[in-house]
Amino acid sequence: MTLLLPLHGLGSRQDLPLPFPAVVGGAVVVLLVSFGVLAFAWRTSRWSGHPGGRALPRLSRFIDSKWTRGLVAALGLFAFAWVGMALWFGQDRVTNPVFGFTYVWVWVGLVPLSLLLGPVWRTLNPLRTLHHGMVHLGLPADGFRPLSASLWQRLGQYPAALALIGFGWLELVQPDNNTLAVLQGWWLAWVIGCLGGAVVFGERWLAASDPFEVYATTVARASWWQRPLLVNPLRNLSTSTAPHGTWAVVTALLGITAFDGFTGTTWWVRTTQTSALPGTFWGTLGLLGMVALVGVTLALGARGLGRLTGRTFDRIAASVIPIVIGYAVAHYLSLLVLEGQRTLINLSDPLGLGWNTFGTAELGINLFWLETPAITALIQLIAIVGGHVIGVLVAHEVSLTLLPPKRRTSGQLAMLLVMIGYTCGGLVLLFSP
C-alpha cells in the first residue's frame, strides 16, 4: 500500500545489534532448550480440564452492566458511522482516515486490544450492534433460514478464514487499494456478506464469517481476561474449547503475515519487476502459496501426534496463536505506532474540510523508540522468538493429553521442527535485505 509506511524499513538486517547468523542460531537453541526442559520437567498434563480462573465479581458486574455494554457498542457504531462518512463522502486522498482506520486501527489494532481486554470486539462490532437493533425491530434472532446444529458445527470458522485471505489480498495484492472506489467495494462486501448473512441465517453467522471478529476472538484466547474470569493465558490456550476451523484461521493469519514479509525481500522485488506477468498474478500466487505452505507444514507437524480428528487438530493449532501474535507485533508494531497516530490526527477531519472535531488535527507524530533502529530490531526478535517459545509450551501441554506415555517426547518432534522452521523463516523475512 502506498499509503502506509514500509513495514520493515525500521527493522532491517543491518540494524540488528547482533550478527544475523548468531540471531538465528540463538533462536533455534532457545527453542531446543525450551523443549528439552519441558520434556524432562513437565511430563504430565498440568492444565487438563476446565481453563479455570479467578472471579472478579465487582469488575464483572461493571463490565457486564447494561450501561457499560451499551456504551461500548455505541462507541463501535459511532466509529463505524464516522469512518463510513469519510469512506463515502470524503476526499480520495491518503489523508482520508478510512485507510488508516481499516488497514491499521482495525487490522493491526485488534491484536493489542484483544490481548488487553479479551473478546471485547464482540461488543464493539458494529455489525452485531446493527443486527441486535434489527432483532429488536422484529427480525427473527435465528434468521429467516436458520441452519441446523450439525451444519453450524461443520461450518465452524471456515468462512472467516476465507474472508481473512480475501482481506490479505486486498491489503497486499489488490491494485489501487488506497483508493476510495476499491475500499468502498470491499466495505460493501464485508457488510453485505456478514450482516446480510446474519439476517438470513441468524446471529451465529457473524461468529462464523466476520474476519475481524474471528481474528479478535482468536487473539483474545491468549488474553488474561476471559469475562468474567481472570485467567492464566497459557492454560486457557491449552484447555479452552477451540472452535471448529481454528487451524484454518491461524493458517490464514500466519500465511498473510509471512507473505507480507516475503514481498519485501530482494528476490521477490526483482522477480516481480522483471517478469512479463502482471504483479497481481504474482501477488495472488505468492499469497495463496504462503498460506498453503503454512497449512501443509502445520498439518505435518500435527500429524506426528498420531491420527487426528478435526477437533484435536484445532486444539493443537491453538499453539500457533502465540506465534501469530508474535509475528503481528514484529511486523506491524512500528506501523501501528506511526500510522496509528496519523489516523488519529486525520479522524478529526473526515471530509477534508479543515475540521478539528476531536482536537487532534494539530497533533504531531511521536516516534517514541523508533528513532533507535536497534530497539525496534530487538522488539521484533523478542516477539518472534517469545511467541514460538510460548507456542512450544502450549503444544507440549496439549500433546500430553493426546499422546500415550511412551510417545510423549518423540511424538512432539515433528511439531518442534515445524516451529523451528517458522522461527527461522520469520527472522529471515524480517531481517533479510
Side-chain angles (χ1 to χ4, degrees):
M1 292 179 301
T2 58
L3 163 69
L4 303 177
L5 175 79
L7 300 186
H8 315 297
L10 294 175
S12 58
R13 175 173 172 173
Q14 59 267 31
D15 292 327
L16 275 172
L18 296 172
F20 182 69
V23 168
V24 175
V28 173
V29 170
V30 167
L31 290 182
L32 290 174
V33 170
S34 300
F35 176 76
V37 170
L38 290 172
F40 286 98
W42 195 314
R43 293 173 179 259
T44 58
S45 174
R46 300 187 181 187
W47 295 330
S48 58
H50 192 272
R54 178 181 177 183
L56 300 174
R58 293 183 179 179
L59 181 60
S60 296
R61 282 196 298 271
F62 170 74
I63 292 176
D64 288 331
S65 71
K66 180 178 70 173
W67 294 105
T68 300
R69 293 176 64 82
L71 181 62
V72 173
L75 177 63
L77 191 59
F78 171 77
F80 177 73
W82 187 261
V83 178
M85 180 172 61
L87 175 68
W88 293 103
F89 305 108
Q91 299 178 7
D92 197 358
R93 294 163 40 181
V94 294
T95 53
N96 189 315
V98 70
F99 299 112
F101 184 85
T102 303
Y103 296 126
V104 181
W105 274 29
V106 175
W107 180 243
V108 182
L110 281 179
V111 174
L113 180 71
S114 301
L115 280 178
L116 290 174
L117 301 179
V120 68
W121 183 258
R122 286 178 60 87
T123 306
L124 267 173
N125 189 348
L127 300 188
R128 277 193 178 273
T129 304
L130 290 173
H131 184 261
H132 288 164
M134 293 178 182
V135 171
H136 283 303
L137 293 176
L139 177 75
D142 293 331
F144 293 106
R145 297 286 299 273
L147 304 179
S148 66
S150 60
L151 186 54
W152 280 120
Q153 173 67 24
R154 292 196 299 272
L155 192 65
Q157 295 184 331
Y158 289 110
L162 292 175
L164 284 167
I165 296 173
F167 185 85
W169 191 87
L170 164 67
E171 183 188 17
L172 303 173
V173 181
Q174 168 80 59
D176 300 323
N177 58 2
N178 60 333
T179 62
L180 285 181
V182 169
L183 205 55
Q184 286 167 357
W186 281 88
W187 268 58
L188 277 176
W190 170 55
V191 172
I192 294 173
C194 295
L195 185 58
V199 170
V200 176
F201 303 119
E203 186 178 19
R204 293 179 66 177
W205 176 255
L206 291 172
S209 67
D210 188 344
F212 304 121
E213 179 168 312
V214 169
Y215 187 9
T217 54
T218 299
V219 173
R221 291 183 62 190
S223 173
W224 61 276
W225 176 249
Q226 304 291 327
R227 196 180 74 238
L229 299 175
L230 186 68
V231 304
N232 177 345
L234 302 183
R235 179 173 184 173
N236 189 64
L237 282 170
S238 305
T239 59
S240 62
T241 302
H244 190 47
T246 295
W247 72 269
V249 171
V250 298
T251 293
L253 291 171
L254 196 58
I256 291 168
T257 309
F259 176 67
D260 193 358
F262 187 56
T263 58
T265 61
T266 303
W267 182 89
W268 176 263
V269 173
R270 183 175 59 247
T271 300
T272 55
Q273 289 183 350
T274 58
S275 172
L277 296 172
T280 305
F281 168 82
W282 283 109
T284 304
L285 183 65
L287 175 62
L288 295 179
M290 193 64 74
V291 171
L293 177 63
V294 172
V296 169
T297 53
L298 179 60
L300 290 174
R303 187 66 180 85
L305 300 174
R307 185 178 179 83
L308 297 178
T309 63
R311 183 64 64 188
T312 52
F313 191 19
D314 287 327
R315 282 194 63 198
I316 197 66
S319 65
V320 183
I321 294 175
I323 300 175
V324 169
I325 295 170
Y327 268 62
V329 171
H331 282 257
Y332 302 126
L333 182 59
S334 300
L335 177 73
L336 180 61
V337 170
L338 294 180
E339 294 299 329
Q341 293 180 79
R342 200 184 314 278
T343 301
L344 178 63
I345 293 170
N346 294 333
L347 274 173
S348 281
D349 187 19
L351 303 182
L353 300 177
W355 298 356
N356 191 9
T357 308
F358 307 116
T360 63
E362 297 179 357
L363 294 179
I365 302 295
N366 193 327
L367 294 179
F368 297 103
W369 70 88
L370 298 177
E371 293 181 299
T372 307
I375 296 178
T376 301
L378 277 176
I379 292 174
Q380 293 174 321
L381 176 62
I382 292 170
I384 286 186
V385 177
H388 282 82
V389 170
I390 295 173
V392 167
L393 190 154
V394 174
H396 177 73
E397 169 63 22
V398 174
S399 299
L400 292 177
T401 66
L402 300 175
L403 292 169
K406 292 183 179 180
R407 295 192 61 245
R408 284 182 175 173
T409 299
S410 61
Q412 298 182 57
L413 292 179
M415 196 67 186
L416 176 64
L417 291 176
V418 168
M419 290 193 173
I420 289 175
Y422 288 169
T423 304
C424 296
L427 292 174
V428 168
L429 292 179
L430 263 179
F431 300 118
S432 62

